Amino acid sequence: MAGRGCGGGCGPGRANEDNARFLLLGALLALYLLGGAAVFSALERPHERQARQRWEERLAGFGRRHNLSRDALRGFLRHFEEAAAAGVRVDGARPRWDFPGAFYFVGTVVSTIGFGMATPATVGGKVFLIVYGLLGCSSTLLFFNLFLERLIAVIAHVTRWCGARRPGRRAGPRAGSPGRAAAAAAKPSVRVVLLALGAASLALCCGAAALYAAAEGWGYLDALYFCFVAFSTIGFGDLVSGQQARYDGRGLYRVANFVLLLSGVCCLYSLFNVVSILVRQAVNWALGRAAGAGCRRGRGRGGPPRRNAVGPGRVRSGGGGAAETDGGSGARRLSGEMVSMKDLLAANKASLAALQKQLSEAASGRPRRASTPAVDDEFSGGVGAFAIMNSRLAETSADR
């Protein structure tokens, strides 16, 4: 599908570009799901068949030894499953609905982990869960967004401090654009943020896995698997921490478990948001390549370029009204040349991010300052948490 960077003849407008991005990402997700289903089916299906066969053999042998019919035995097992779902265990596990157990449960609710090891069985509990979860999940997601905002601000200060101490660094920004250069220096690149979050998440998962393996008696790989499933809020519930009746240093372990779960969810949530920026850039790159192929075919048919086509050599208005040209010599190129990927993304910025930023600023009561420069980087055009984060970084750079 063609993009706007080729001119009016290559695409009907920005709405079609957004639709193309949505459809392409949806198609890629569908292929990702199909591929994942094929891999997991190939890995887990044989084990499931073997487990079912062993269970049928044991069930038949138990019925023969105790002279029980299969129907009577299955009826008894259904009662056992109901008791297990209500929290009754044969291995002496602690109660699930005492106050510590209930506190652990509400933590998994508001963090959207939802292990499933405890679920409300009464009508009142189910109704209260709907109301409680609606407010709690919304507030927790806001907390995660604010955590990401402050984490990016800390990374920005650290990178600016490291840049100031770097030997051979120039004393000040370039003449003629002090505000833009200062704001650009204050914002870390998405790669720096990805590296910092990835390292922090990996260290947290490895350290927490060592603790869980020692406290719960799991293997290290199982503990590491639990950390990712819990911190990413997938929450299968096959492994759940803190469910045994006795622990060495039980109070300290419960506090550590709560802190690790909260920190892990915050880090993984932030990491997923940063990775989504890279996914968006990859989708934009794919659309840009498709747009370039469509424009080359259009020029091959002899169609003249439209007068409003955006090309690398066309004059663009800068922030101060001055004209900018591409090329090392400053001379204009022919307008029929293909637009670069950087110019294509700059020309096709969606207005949704600007609208969300205005809404977040209006909600916080801090309108954006007129003197704050607009700097294009990897976080520009973000949505949700990144609109809030970008506004905060702009204010941080303006206060320098």
Side-chain angles (χ1 to χ4, degrees):
M1 185 173 182
R4 294 183 62 180
C6 310
C10 293
R14 178 176 298 169
N16 283 347
E17 294 168 4
D18 294 338
N19 292 335
R21 184 182 297 110
F22 172 77
L23 293 175
L24 177 59
L25 184 58
L28 292 176
L29 283 176
L31 293 176
Y32 193 75
L33 292 174
L34 292 173
V39 171
F40 280 112
S41 179
L43 292 175
E44 300 295 334
R45 182 61 174 167
H47 177 74
E48 180 189 23
R49 289 173 177 170
Q50 294 174 5
R52 183 178 293 276
Q53 183 178 1
R54 288 195 302 267
W55 169 248
E56 292 294 339
E57 293 174 355
R58 292 172 181 174
L59 189 64
F62 185 85
R64 286 194 301 268
R65 286 194 303 269
H66 297 277
N67 195 21
L68 293 173
S69 66
R70 177 161 298 218
D71 292 338
L73 189 55
R74 289 187 181 276
F76 176 78
L77 291 176
R78 290 192 186 95
H79 291 304
F80 171 76
E81 291 176 351
E82 293 175 359
V88 179
R89 300 283 296 276
V90 296
D91 53 1
R94 66 171 178 81
R96 293 181 177 178
W97 291 109
D98 58 351
F99 185 79
F103 184 80
Y104 191 88
F105 168 75
V106 296
T108 62
V109 169
V110 300
S111 64
T112 70
I113 296 177
F115 285 125
M117 81 292 182
T119 55
T122 63
V123 176
K126 293 177 181 179
V127 173
F128 180 71
L129 175 64
I130 296 174
V131 180
Y132 185 84
L134 178 63
L135 181 61
C137 293
S138 303
S139 302
T140 306
L141 289 178
L142 176 61
F143 174 80
F144 292 159
N145 289 341
L146 296 177
F147 171 84
L148 176 58
E149 173 192 346
R150 279 150 182 79
L151 181 62
I152 298 298
V154 169
I155 296 175
H157 286 296
V158 171
T159 54
R160 187 168 64 243
W161 180 80
C162 294
R165 295 176 61 88
R166 186 182 306 165
R169 184 178 181 270
R170 290 184 298 179
R174 215 172 26 181
S177 58
R180 181 178 293 269
K187 290 187 179 182
S189 68
V190 68
R191 293 167 185 82
V192 172
V193 177
L194 179 63
L195 180 62
L197 279 173
S201 301
L202 181 61
L204 183 62
C205 287
C206 292
L211 174 64
Y212 288 131
E216 302 289 346
W218 301 335
Y220 186 79
L221 183 60
D222 288 339
L224 191 63
Y225 159 81
F226 163 77
C227 289
F228 178 78
V229 169
F231 296 168
S232 62
T233 70
I234 296 174
F236 288 128
D238 51 345
L239 293 175
V240 181
S241 61
Q243 298 303 302
Q244 298 182 19
R246 294 179 179 84
Y247 290 98
D248 295 335
R250 182 176 59 180
L252 182 61
Y253 176 68
R254 285 180 175 176
V255 173
N257 185 33
F258 175 78
V259 173
L260 287 174
L261 286 176
L262 179 62
S263 303
V265 171
C266 287
C267 286
L268 265 293
Y269 173 86
S270 303
L271 182 63
F272 289 161
N273 275 278
V274 176
V275 172
S276 70
I277 294 180
L278 300 180
V279 173
R280 181 184 180 90
Q281 290 178 343
V283 171
N284 288 341
W285 176 84
L287 289 176
R289 293 295 297 270
C295 289
R296 285 192 294 270
R297 285 195 299 269
R299 287 200 304 273
R301 289 193 295 267
R306 296 286 296 267
R307 58 180 298 183
N308 59 346
V310 180
R314 295 190 65 85
V315 178
R316 299 188 304 272
S317 296
E324 300 176 1
T325 58
D326 293 332
S329 62
R332 296 186 184 181
R333 302 179 190 173
L334 296 178
S335 62
E337 292 184 12
M338 272 301 300
V339 63
S340 66
M341 191 61 199
K342 179 180 178 181
D343 292 334
L344 176 65
L345 294 178
N348 293 336
K349 279 183 178 276
S351 59
L352 177 60
L355 177 59
Q356 289 186 332
K357 182 181 294 186
Q358 294 173 4
L359 291 176
S360 65
E361 291 166 350
S364 62
R366 296 179 303 180
R368 184 180 179 184
R369 302 176 185 177
S371 60
T372 301
V375 181
D376 294 339
D377 57 11
E378 292 92 336
F379 293 109
S380 298
V383 296
F386 297 103
I388 303 174
M389 175 193 65
N390 205 37
S391 175
R392 174 58 181 163
L393 287 179
E395 294 171 2
T396 303
S397 61
D399 292 337
R400 287 186 62 196

